[in-house]
């Protein structure tokens, strides 16, 4: 089922681009009013391009902008390797410019998705299908358009609102609050026409990776929780209401094992997933798992391809994983390494560096160190010796690498959640801590403490005895690490500009310093867009 939208999107592209030299034949190689869309298969093929675009950049460029701009993820250089023109240190130190490759590509990805949605709406409206089928399909497309626009509003702030296809006039920026209002109104309008998660497994498979009522409730909850950032007006009670609307559907519930949510075999069988981006070997886009592995562990883990040694987390972020018994701590590679036991734990058999590894004595156990010690010789560079620099930085195996990964593509089959029930619990808990009234849902009188402890119980972590906002932010770090919400969280807590200095070796200094200007809470309008559209105005500070 993960392949369905990718395959249908490919069919749609083939059909829309096929041409021939004989010009007097009936038009059958493209979608026109007389031949498309009619059947469910027609609509699936048409809508597939929305989802193939989403998966193309969500798990790498978009994720980098949301998590590598924080303490949660860092991709340091190793004697110049992995520097890639400085783009990763620019994200980490908030020194990006309007021509940063991710700033440009993610804008084009997001508004490309919006343009695709607008094009598809015109095709649906011009079709000969029934009014009910048209309305349901347009609702699905508008929900996806709202999601794309939310991503753009969150990253870039004052962005255009584009609903026409084709676009006949160059758009202008709209105030962020106006974009917020538009997204909210669109989501409320389509809500009655979207399906709810069902108790029927086959139905849920067909809905998986597509918008549902639950997705709309979750997105509205996220918007209301951040409303003070987006509009200057807090809406915490409405956050609680949307979280309760998700929970009212008892087909959403926590899965028994935390690690199962993120394995390559995840998918519709995960009960707490509200909306996810599907990936597999035929749906390109998910390579970020392999960036964070440790090269010398591949044989011990049963992989036959080379995986990276580069991306990790900062010591400060990893220090939050300090609760006794917490399964979430096992999602990191840290300390002396042992063979995996296949069930999320490790054996007592050490993993040694392969015999003959340059500069490593025989029978040396792999030991991954949390600290990142800069040499000071090159910007954000750790050096490249095996026993020290290469083993610095705790790695994430939350999205456990796919055993079917191949060297040619290095793609992973782990679907990446956008919204899940655990986040709903934490958003509700935070909204109550910020002043909203507690509520009872399905007979459960929920408080911030009980909501946090639901997640700790699932993770076999020691229960919390109290919870405040600082503790709640740490709990979000533990539960939602590498799920592309850290930047969003830190901005809301007023901590996005907090420096995370790295240790320096030998008294040398790294010339790079973090830009702590609050204007960095927004990314700049890309240089490419400003050149082609004079109606766009740059964000402050750029």
């Amino acid at each position: 089922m993960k392949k369905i939208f990718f395959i249908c999107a490919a069919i749609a592209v083939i059909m829309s681009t096929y041409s021939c030299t004989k010009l007097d034949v009936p038009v059958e190689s493209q979608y026109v009013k007389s031949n498309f869309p009619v059947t469910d298969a027609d609509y699936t093929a048409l809508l597939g391009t929305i989802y193939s675009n989403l998966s193309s950049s969500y798990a790498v460029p978009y994720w980098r902008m949301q998590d590598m701009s924080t303490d949660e993820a860092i991709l340091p250089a190793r004697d110049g390797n992995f520097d890639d023109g400085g783009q990763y240190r620019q994200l980490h130190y908030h020194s990006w410019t309007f021509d940063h490759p991710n700033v440009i590509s993610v804008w084009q990805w997001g508004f490309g998705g919006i343009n695709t949605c607008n094009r598809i709406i015109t095709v649906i409206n011009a079709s000969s299908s029934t009014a009910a089928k048209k309305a349901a399909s347009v609702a699905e497309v508008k929900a996806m358009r709202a999601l794309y626009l939310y991503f753009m509003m969150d990253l870039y702030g004052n962005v255009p609102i584009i609903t026409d296809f084709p676009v006949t006039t160059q758009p202008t920026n709209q105030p962020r609050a106006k974009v917020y209002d538009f997204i909210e109104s669109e989501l409320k309008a389509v809500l009655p026409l979207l399906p709810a998660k069902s108790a029927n497994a086959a139905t849920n498979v067909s809905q998986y990776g597509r918008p549902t009522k639950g997705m709309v409730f979750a997105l509205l909850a996220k918007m209301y929780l951040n409303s003070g950032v987006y509009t200057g007006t807090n809406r915490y009670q409405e956050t609680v209401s949307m979280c309760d609307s998700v929970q009212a559907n008892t087909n959403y519930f926590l899965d028994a094992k935390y690690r199962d949510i993120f394995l390559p075999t995840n998918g519709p069988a995960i009960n707490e997933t509200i909306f996810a981006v599907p990936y597999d070997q035929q749906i390109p886009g998910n390579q970020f798992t392999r960036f964070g592995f440790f090269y010398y562990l591949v044989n011990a883990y049963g992989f036959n391809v080379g995986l990276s040694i580069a991306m990790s987390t900062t010591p400060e972020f990893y220090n939050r994983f300090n609760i006794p018994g917490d399964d979430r701590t096992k999602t990191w590679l840290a300390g002396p390494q042992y063979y995996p036991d296949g069930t999320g734990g490790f054996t007592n058999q050490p993993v040694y560096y392969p015999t003959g590894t340059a500069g490593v004595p025989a029978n040396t156990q792999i030991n991954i160190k949390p600290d990142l010690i800069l040499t000071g010789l090159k910007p954000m560079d750790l050096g490249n010796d095996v026993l020290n620099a290469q083993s610095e930085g705790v790695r994430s195996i939350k999205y456990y690498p796919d055993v079917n990964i191949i060297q040619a593509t290095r793609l992973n089959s782990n679907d990446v959640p956008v919204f899940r029930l655990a986040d709903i619990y934490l958003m509700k808990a935070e909204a109550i801590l910020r002043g909203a009234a507690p509520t009872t849902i399905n007979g459960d009188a929920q408080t911030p403490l009980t909501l946090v402890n639901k997640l700790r119980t699932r993770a076999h972590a020691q229960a919390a005895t109290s919870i405040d906002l600082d503790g709640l932010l740490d709990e979000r770090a533990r539960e939602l690490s590498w799920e592309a919400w850290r930047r969003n969280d830190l901005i809301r807590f007023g901590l996005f500009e907090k420096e995370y200095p790295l240790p320096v070796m030998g008294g040398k200094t790294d010339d790079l310093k973090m830009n702590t200007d609050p204007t960095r809470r927004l990314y700049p309008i890309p240089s490419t867009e400003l050149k082609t559209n004079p109606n766009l105005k740059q964000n402050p500070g750029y």
Side-chain angles (χ1 to χ4, degrees):
M1 286 306 300
K2 291 183 183 182
K3 300 183 182 71
I4 184 170
F5 287 118
F6 176 82
I7 293 171
C8 291
I11 294 171
V13 171
I14 292 170
M15 293 178 70
S16 62
T17 58
Y18 177 86
S19 64
C20 60
T21 56
K22 189 175 181 181
L23 302 180
D24 57 349
V25 297
V27 178
E28 295 178 350
S29 58
Q30 59 182 315
Y31 301 138
V32 294
K33 182 177 180 180
S34 62
N35 70 358
F36 184 76
V38 177
T39 67
D40 288 344
D42 292 337
Y43 278 97
T44 298
L46 177 64
L47 272 55
T49 52
I50 298 172
Y51 301 98
S52 59
N53 180 78
L54 182 68
S55 61
S56 67
S57 291
Y58 185 84
V60 178
Y62 174 81
W63 180 89
R64 284 176 178 167
M65 292 180 77
Q66 293 288 14
D67 277 6
M68 288 183 65
S69 60
T70 74
D71 57 349
E72 189 169 86
I74 181 171
L75 207 167
R78 316 263 173 175
D79 195 26
N81 297 320
F82 308 105
D83 186 64
D84 290 354
Q87 59 178 301
Y88 311 125
R89 50 184 156 91
Q90 289 165 13
L91 286 174
H92 196 67
Y93 286 115
H94 296 187
S95 61
W96 54 75
T97 61
F98 68 178
D99 56 1
H100 187 281
N102 290 153
V103 168
I104 293 173
S105 66
V106 171
W107 175 286
Q108 294 172 342
W109 165 74
F111 281 101
I114 290 169
N115 185 64
T116 296
C117 291
N118 292 335
R119 174 180 60 81
I120 289 174
I121 289 172
T122 63
V123 174
I124 293 172
N125 286 334
S127 74
S128 58
S129 188
T130 65
K133 184 62 180 176
K134 285 184 183 182
S137 296
V138 168
E140 178 177 350
V141 177
K142 285 187 175 182
M144 290 304 300
R145 184 175 68 183
L147 181 64
Y148 275 117
L149 188 56
Y150 172 77
F151 292 155
M152 297 298 97
M153 177 192 72
D154 182 67
L155 290 171
Y156 299 97
N158 302 335
V159 297
I161 300 173
I162 305 171
T163 58
D164 296 330
F165 183 86
V167 178
T168 56
T169 59
Q170 292 182 313
T172 60
N173 310 69
Q174 298 296 328
R176 201 181 201 184
K178 185 175 180 180
V179 181
Y180 176 100
D181 290 342
F182 174 79
I183 297 171
E184 181 188 21
S185 65
E186 288 281 283
L187 291 173
K188 287 183 174 181
V190 302
L191 181 60
L193 297 172
L194 294 175
K197 184 176 182 181
S198 169
N200 183 284
T203 300
N204 290 331
V205 167
S206 67
Q207 293 175 354
Y208 184 73
R210 302 167 72 174
T212 60
K213 293 183 190 301
M215 189 205 88
V216 169
F217 291 139
L219 179 50
L220 285 171
K222 190 69 70 175
M223 289 179 61
Y224 293 149
L225 184 62
N226 291 280
S227 185
V229 174
Y230 298 145
T231 71
T233 301
N234 295 324
R235 301 176 71 175
Y236 299 130
Q237 199 63 52
E238 289 161 281
T239 305
V240 171
S241 177
M242 291 300 101
C243 291
D244 287 350
S245 295
V246 173
Q247 294 185 73
N249 186 337
T250 56
N251 294 312
Y252 295 113
F253 54 91
L254 294 181
D255 292 270
K257 293 183 179 179
Y258 181 77
R259 73 184 298 266
D260 288 353
I261 306 167
F262 311 99
L263 291 177
T265 53
N266 65 359
I270 302 301
N271 300 294
E272 69 186 75
T273 299
I274 300 168
F275 183 78
V277 181
Y279 288 101
D280 64 17
Q281 295 300 313
Q282 283 73 48
I283 302 178
N286 182 0
Q287 288 195 4
F288 77 79
T289 292
R290 65 101 173 172
F291 294 137
F293 202 66
F294 191 72
Y295 177 82
Y296 298 102
L297 289 171
V298 293
N299 290 331
Y301 278 71
F303 304 120
N304 296 314
V305 301
L307 299 175
S308 181
I309 62 167
M311 192 163 66
S312 61
T313 191
T314 64
E316 293 82 2
F317 188 82
Y318 177 66
N319 286 342
R320 292 176 171 84
F321 289 79
N322 56 4
I323 302 175
D326 194 342
D327 291 343
R328 297 169 298 188
T329 304
K330 299 176 184 177
T331 64
W332 300 98
L333 293 175
Q337 294 301 297
Y338 299 87
Y339 277 82
D341 63 10
T343 61
F346 300 93
T347 68
N348 59 2
Q349 182 181 0
V351 180
Y352 298 107
Y353 284 98
T355 301
T357 302
V360 179
N363 299 322
T364 299
Q365 186 177 7
I366 293 172
N367 185 17
I368 298 177
K369 310 171 186 69
D371 285 339
L372 300 164
I373 302 175
L374 304 178
T375 65
L377 301 176
K378 298 176 182 178
M380 208 173 87
D381 198 301
L382 305 177
N384 204 32
D385 62 289
V386 176
L387 287 181
N388 294 300
Q390 288 188 15
S391 62
E392 290 176 6
V394 173
R395 272 69 163 184
S396 174
I397 53 171
K398 182 173 181 174
Y399 300 93
Y400 196 90
D402 190 348
V403 70
N404 296 313
I405 193 172
I406 60 174
Q407 188 67 38
T409 61
R410 291 182 286 188
L411 297 175
N412 287 278
S413 296
N414 318 65
D415 296 351
V416 179
V418 180
F419 301 113
R420 59 187 181 92
L421 186 61
D423 195 2
I424 295 297
Y425 288 168
L426 293 172
M427 286 195 287
K428 180 176 181 178
E430 182 181 335
I432 294 171
L433 287 172
R434 293 186 183 276
T439 60
T440 298
I441 184 71
N442 300 326
D444 181 16
Q446 296 180 338
T447 67
L449 185 60
T450 61
L451 288 163
V452 166
N453 279 333
K454 286 178 185 291
L455 302 180
R456 289 204 180 186
T457 298
R458 189 262 297 278
H460 302 105
Q462 185 179 81
T465 56
S466 63
I467 192 73
D468 57 14
L469 281 172
D470 289 342
L472 194 283
L473 181 60
D474 286 345
E475 201 66 36
R476 289 189 64 83
R478 285 184 282 266
E479 180 67 28
L480 302 171
S481 65
W482 287 35
E483 292 186 47
W485 289 117
R486 183 64 173 170
R487 170 185 164 274
N488 183 281
D489 291 343
L490 292 181
I491 291 173
R492 187 173 65 257
F493 276 78
L495 297 173
F496 187 61
E497 299 81 33
K498 182 180 178 181
E499 292 190 78
Y500 29 75
L502 299 179
V504 189
M505 184 170 64
K508 301 183 180 72
T509 59
D510 191 331
D511 291 336
L512 294 178
K513 299 295 181 183
M514 181 173 169
N515 186 338
T516 59
D517 194 308
T519 58
R520 296 289 144 163
R521 296 175 188 175
L522 293 178
Y523 285 97
I525 308 300
S527 57
T528 52
E529 305 304 316
L530 294 172
K531 290 176 182 177
T532 57
N533 182 1
N535 292 334
L536 295 176
K537 295 181 180 179
Q538 185 58 278
N539 286 325
Y542 295 99

